[in-house]
Amino acid sequence: MALKVALLGCGVVGSEVVRLMNEQSTELAARIGTPLEIGGIAVRRTGRVRDTGLDPELFTTDAMSLVTRPDIDLVVEVIGGIEPARSLILAAVKAGKSVVTANKALLAEDGEVIHDAARDAGVDIYYEASVAGAIPLLRPLRDSLAGDRINRVLGIVNGTTNYILDRMDALGAGFAESLEEAQALGYAESDPTADVEGFDAAAKAAILARLAFHTPVTAADVHREGITEVTAGDIVSAQAMGCVVKLLAICQRSEDGASVGVRVHPVMLPREHPLANVKEAYNAVFVEAESAGRLMFYGAGAGGSPTASAVLGDVVAIARNRRAGTFAADGDDDSVLAVHPMGETVTRYHVALDVADRPGVLAAVAEVYAANGVSIKNVRQEGHGEDAQLVLVSHQAPDAALARTVEQLRTLDMVRAVASVMRVEAFQH
Amino acid sequence: MALKVALLGCGVVGSEVVRLMNEQSTELAARIGTPLEIGGIAVRRTGRVRDTGLDPELFTTDAMSLVTRPDIDLVVEVIGGIEPARSLILAAVKAGKSVVTANKALLAEDGEVIHDAARDAGVDIYYEASVAGAIPLLRPLRDSLAGDRINRVLGIVNGTTNYILDRMDALGAGFAESLEEAQALGYAESDPTADVEGFDAAAKAAILARLAFHTPVTAADVHREGITEVTAGDIVSAQAMGCVVKLLAICQRSEDGASVGVRVHPVMLPREHPLANVKEAYNAVFVEAESAGRLMFYGAGAGGSPTASAVLGDVVAIARNRRAGTFAADGDDDSVLAVHPMGETVTRYHVALDVADRPGVLAAVAEVYAANGVSIKNVRQEGHGEDAQLVLVSHQAPDAALARTVEQLRTLDMVRAVASVMRVEAFQH
């Protein structure tokens, strides 16, 4: 009694899923306890002959009929985007099929609807591939840490931006030329907006936050800043502090535990932090949990094979559940926490000011910090005369107070320019 | 209808499990769908009053009666060691209880017996805490990568030795003084044999190999060398090559896929390798999989809280299974591969020779390599006259050929001493 899989989409990831299912059919059957069989593949056009070695009869353009067909057990959705993926997944779930999806956009926008539907129908919805590609991350967050309390998640979840920032750090190159290099090498798309403006990372941050805090979070809740304004000067400033610049997705519980903040923006991170050593287009997610302490998960964030590996891991899991006649209800959102706005999130700022090199500058600057209730952790002057720069790192304070401080610094006579502003992250304790 | 947990052992980990179960009872009940209740705690002596806030009636010295008591659903074993842990676990399994254990020694010695018993009885046996403490690692290997093919696992799985080697690297200190420091700080035990001689890492290597390759491996199959002979000179040699010395557990599929090699020994690892940046007593496991590519899992390897977090994650998983009336059969050892001896394992050697500073030395040395069929990757001379040293790194070759090469080098007239011999690991491809 083979389990029948319907595949929605047969692009880079989908065709790799087919290849792996064929190549490893014996091992997979042994691990599941029953063979897997491809019951059908929905594509936009069946005209093109596909190099899958599969019966052409399996291909169909009628995805809706495929996902509701009585003999189908599992549906694998690798189309991406909101529609028609959402309607297809909901129809599949209502028809009693378990679903594997890699669709971060959909989960970040409409995760609750889909999870509720799956729970009501008593089927599985697994989505390991939606965040950080092949890195086994979501199930560990959901399952292995189910007995723990997660306080913070810091993630490098976008390979394109990590590649660009890594090149800027290694070569002293600017953003524009690093982006061009990334595009030439296939690490960035010709329209890089979703990556460099942080939209992709924000969707993943929403998914991570929901799993980490057992509370509903959507992409709209995520404060988002991209890396387009990161300059070679920022990188140099970071290096002078022993830091590296990374675009992080940060999901953080407030100190009183009553709310969470979720955000994506560039940060300066100390080089001894494990995330600082994540190079090129790799992804990594760093978790701070009450009992487990510091954890990190590292690996390839994208690509056909890694994503297909994650999809297939999910397929095996839900196939085993099917065979056992059970399903793993996704943890209910048992603690509905408020998502607090960015202004209330506690952060630290690194600020570099081009200043007049004369007495009284530091006093004037320090007064602005004090007036906003922000303490200065350390300050140093670099250069002299025309090149004098004052570099300040604050203690933790609400982001709004820090932003206001920077605004007021801009208006000081003695400050010629705000050369660099960036948040600083470190270990929480 | 609460699920009843029997706890075997109430030391550092056990009492932390109790504390977490009490503190998070509401969250845990929500995640499982039913409350957890401690049904009994087996200890060696009930005399001492324990600060658990629990009814003293729960404590018993009769562990066997506790694990077979009809109202018990789950058994958590944190006694450690082979007996009585083995008998208690087997009795519990036969009585239909699911089991969580952190017992690496038992699993590495008798894993097959225990897994077979669990499969026959239709119960769960989970053991996330047995390797790398709180790092969610075993279930990702078992579940998330179930659709992939793992080629190699490299692990820093012993915090004590990593701490010692990290100090030696950072301070140029010797082994003995670094061990003393580790003991003073509680990172090493007063009898450090199990750690520094690699026994602890070997047990974990056996468990990792079994999960990675779906094949039975026991501690006796693991080639083991500790770190007691690592010198400050080795560390300096490693640094000169841009490497760091780490004690690694290495589980590797042979090139033809027909056998596996499992070993624990010190290696020189390039500083750009993610494992090279694992500092202090942290653990990390690096996985090379066919489709997923390179993955790393990082976190605290020991300690009461991290271990208890891992135990509790397992408790939640098997409690959910219980409630669903199912169990997650541990992957059958579907591919019974041979474990090949160390001599057949393909490795690379770094060798530093104190040599006479005169013509013909390199020719004589190179001839020994050639006679054993070993290619030299690079060679450099350091120092002059009395201090002349020849440093050679080989290409990959069977370990036996490399060991033989070193033996023969020792007999050369022109070689005054073999100053340092260590295997070198890098990325596989």
Side-chain angles (χ1 to χ4, degrees):
Chain A
M1 278 271 300
L3 287 169
K4 280 205 181 163
V5 178
L7 182 64
L8 308 183
C10 200
V12 177
V13 175
S15 54
E16 185 68 11
V17 168
V18 171
R19 194 183 67 79
L20 290 174
M21 276 181 61
N22 286 338
E23 249 183 45
Q24 304 189 24
S25 58
T26 316
E27 291 92 332
L28 291 172
R31 286 173 208 169
I32 294 164
T34 200
L36 286 177
E37 188 185 314
I38 293 182
I41 303 175
V43 289
R44 232 176 310 176
R45 285 177 299 276
T46 52
R48 271 199 299 155
V49 176
R50 284 163 200 281
D51 182 25
T52 53
L54 292 172
D55 182 355
E57 297 276 302
L58 287 173
F59 291 88
T60 173
T61 54
D62 185 357
M64 191 54 87
S65 297
L66 176 61
V67 301
T68 53
R69 228 172 64 192
D71 63 322
I72 294 295
D73 298 289
L74 320 175
V75 173
V76 173
E77 183 269 310
V78 287
I79 310 174
I82 304 297
E83 281 296 348
R86 172 168 45 197
S87 303
L88 291 169
I89 288 176
L90 288 172
V93 162
K94 273 170 202 145
K97 324 298 186 191
S98 286
V99 173
V100 176
T101 173
N103 195 327
K104 57 185 173 281
L106 177 58
L107 289 165
E109 186 169 309
D110 257 344
E112 291 314 294
V113 173
I114 290 168
H115 289 297
D116 288 350
R119 209 155 26 229
D120 291 348
V123 300
D124 283 322
I125 170 111
Y126 276 42
Y127 45 99
E128 187 65 69
S130 66
V131 180
I135 310 176
L137 169 68
L138 302 187
R139 271 193 280 163
L141 276 188
R142 195 174 92 165
D143 297 340
S144 308
L145 294 174
D148 205 335
R149 182 187 169 91
I150 295 172
N151 290 319
R152 197 161 74 138
V153 178
L154 301 179
I156 296 173
V157 292
N158 180 273
T160 304
T161 49
N162 200 57
Y163 184 86
I164 292 171
L165 292 171
D166 188 31
R167 299 315 286 169
M168 290 174 73
D169 183 62
L171 307 177
F175 169 76
E177 63 183 295
S178 299
L179 171 60
E180 267 176 43
E181 188 198 324
Q183 286 171 319
L185 292 171
Y187 287 120
E189 298 187 41
S190 54
D191 175 0
T193 311
D195 294 316
V196 300
E197 296 291 2
F199 290 100
D200 174 79
K204 293 164 177 171
I207 295 171
L208 286 173
R210 177 174 173 279
L211 281 168
F213 304 130
H214 307 274
T215 204
V217 177
T218 70
D221 297 321
V222 181
H223 173 85
R224 179 190 50 74
E225 299 171 28
I227 65 163
T228 53
E229 284 165 34
V230 175
T231 65
D234 291 329
I235 305 278
V236 171
S237 284
Q239 287 169 343
M241 290 217 309
C243 284
V244 60
V245 175
K246 293 289 184 191
L247 181 71
L248 293 190
I250 304 177
C251 316
Q252 187 162 357
R253 203 186 281 276
S254 65
E255 266 193 29
D256 63 4
S259 64
V260 297
V262 189
R263 52 199 165 110
V264 169
H265 55 70
V267 304
M268 291 183 182
L269 198 66
R271 279 190 193 269
E272 62 267 25
H273 194 287
L275 284 176
N277 291 301
V278 176
K279 309 283 189 189
E280 301 176 358
Y282 276 90
N283 281 199
V285 175
F286 191 80
V287 177
E288 295 171 355
E290 195 109 335
S291 297
R294 297 167 185 170
L295 301 170
M296 190 173 80
F297 305 81
Y298 164 100
S305 286
T307 309
S309 166
V311 166
L312 218 53
D314 280 354
V315 167
V316 170
I318 67 177
R320 281 182 179 157
N321 286 350
R322 276 269 144 172
R323 204 175 151 251
T326 181
F327 76 106
D330 201 4
D332 286 290
D333 292 334
D334 48 37
S335 51
V336 180
L337 303 172
V339 178
H340 58 249
M342 187 62 193
E344 290 172 25
T345 296
V346 172
T347 63
R348 290 202 294 143
Y349 272 36
H350 164 279
V351 175
L353 304 172
D354 294 338
V355 293
D357 187 8
R358 58 180 149 101
V361 173
L362 180 56
V365 166
E367 196 166 314
V368 173
Y369 276 79
N372 287 291
V374 177
S375 304
I376 295 168
K377 181 161 187 280
N378 57 56
V379 57
R380 67 177 197 277
Q381 184 176 332
E382 295 199 336
H384 288 287
E386 286 297 295
D387 293 330
Q389 204 173 56
L390 211 55
V391 180
L392 301 109
V393 179
S394 74
H395 275 292
Q396 289 202 326
D399 199 78
L402 288 158
R404 207 162 50 230
T405 303
V406 173
E407 280 322 298
Q408 292 174 9
L409 289 173
R410 280 186 209 284
T411 67
L412 284 188
D413 278 352
M414 285 176 276
V415 172
R416 288 202 310 272
V418 177
S420 171
V421 179
M422 199 174 287
R423 297 183 187 91
V424 180
E425 290 290 333
F427 299 111
Q428 197 159 26
H429 301 292
Chain B
M1 279 273 299
L3 286 170
K4 279 205 182 161
V5 177
L7 183 64
L8 308 183
C10 199
V12 177
V13 175
S15 54
E16 185 69 11
V17 169
V18 171
R19 194 182 68 77
L20 290 174
M21 275 181 62
N22 287 338
E23 250 183 46
Q24 304 189 23
S25 57
T26 315
E27 291 93 333
L28 291 172
R31 285 173 209 169
I32 295 164
T34 199
L36 286 178
E37 188 185 315
I38 292 183
I41 303 175
V43 290
R44 233 176 310 175
R45 286 176 299 275
T46 52
R48 271 198 298 154
V49 175
R50 285 162 198 281
D51 182 25
T52 52
L54 291 172
D55 183 354
E57 297 276 303
L58 287 174
F59 290 90
T60 173
T61 55
D62 185 358
M64 191 53 86
S65 298
L66 177 61
V67 301
T68 53
R69 228 174 63 194
D71 63 322
I72 294 295
D73 298 290
L74 320 176
V75 173
V76 173
E77 184 269 310
V78 287
I79 309 173
I82 305 296
E83 282 295 347
R86 172 170 43 196
S87 305
L88 291 169
I89 288 176
L90 288 173
V93 162
K94 273 170 202 145
K97 325 296 188 192
S98 286
V99 173
V100 176
T101 174
N103 195 326
K104 57 185 171 282
L106 177 59
L107 289 165
E109 187 170 307
D110 257 346
E112 290 315 294
V113 174
I114 291 167
H115 289 297
D116 288 351
R119 208 156 27 227
D120 291 348
V123 300
D124 283 321
I125 170 112
Y126 276 43
Y127 45 98
E128 187 65 69
S130 66
V131 180
I135 310 176
L137 168 68
L138 302 188
R139 271 193 281 163
L141 275 188
R142 195 174 93 165
D143 298 340
S144 308
L145 293 174
D148 206 336
R149 182 187 170 90
I150 295 173
N151 289 319
R152 196 161 74 139
V153 178
L154 302 178
I156 295 173
V157 292
N158 180 272
T160 304
T161 49
N162 200 58
Y163 184 86
I164 291 170
L165 292 171
D166 189 30
R167 300 315 286 167
M168 291 174 73
D169 182 62
L171 307 176
F175 170 75
E177 63 182 296
S178 299
L179 170 60
E180 267 176 43
E181 187 197 326
Q183 286 171 320
L185 292 171
Y187 286 121
E189 298 188 40
S190 54
D191 176 359
T193 312
D195 293 318
V196 299
E197 295 292 1
F199 290 100
D200 174 79
K204 293 164 176 170
I207 296 172
L208 285 173
R210 177 174 172 277
L211 281 169
F213 304 129
H214 308 273
T215 203
V217 177
T218 70
D221 297 321
V222 181
H223 173 85
R224 178 190 51 74
E225 299 170 30
I227 65 163
T228 53
E229 284 166 34
V230 175
T231 65
D234 291 329
I235 305 278
V236 171
S237 285
Q239 288 170 343
M241 291 217 309
C243 284
V244 61
V245 175
K246 294 289 185 191
L247 181 71
L248 294 190
I250 305 178
C251 315
Q252 187 164 357
R253 203 187 281 274
S254 64
E255 266 193 27
D256 63 4
S259 65
V260 296
V262 190
R263 51 198 165 112
V264 169
H265 56 70
V267 305
M268 293 184 180
L269 198 66
R271 279 191 193 269
E272 61 267 23
H273 195 288
L275 284 175
N277 290 301
V278 176
K279 309 282 188 190
E280 301 176 358
Y282 276 91
N283 281 199
V285 175
F286 191 81
V287 177
E288 295 171 354
E290 195 109 336
S291 296
R294 297 168 184 170
L295 300 169
M296 189 173 80
F297 305 80
Y298 165 100
S305 287
T307 308
S309 165
V311 166
L312 220 53
D314 280 353
V315 167
V316 170
I318 67 176
R320 280 182 180 156
N321 286 350
R322 276 268 145 172
R323 203 173 153 253
T326 181
F327 76 106
D330 202 6
D332 285 289
D333 293 335
D334 47 36
S335 51
V336 180
L337 302 172
V339 178
H340 58 249
M342 187 62 192
E344 290 173 24
T345 296
V346 172
T347 63
R348 290 202 296 145
Y349 272 36
H350 165 279
V351 175
L353 305 171
D354 294 338
V355 293
D357 188 9
R358 58 183 149 101
V361 174
L362 180 56
V365 166
E367 196 167 312
V368 173
Y369 276 80
N372 287 291
V374 177
S375 305
I376 295 168
K377 182 162 186 279
N378 57 57
V379 57
R380 66 176 197 279
Q381 184 177 330
E382 295 199 336
H384 288 286
E386 287 297 295
D387 293 330
Q389 205 174 58
L390 212 55
V391 180
L392 301 109
V393 179
S394 73
H395 275 291
Q396 290 202 325
D399 199 76
L402 288 158
R404 207 162 49 230
T405 303
V406 173
E407 280 321 299
Q408 293 174 10
L409 289 173
R410 282 187 208 283
T411 68
L412 284 187
D413 279 350
M414 285 176 277
V415 172
R416 287 203 309 273
V418 177
S420 171
V421 179
M422 199 173 286
R423 298 185 186 89
V424 181
E425 290 289 334
F427 299 111
Q428 197 160 26
H429 302 293

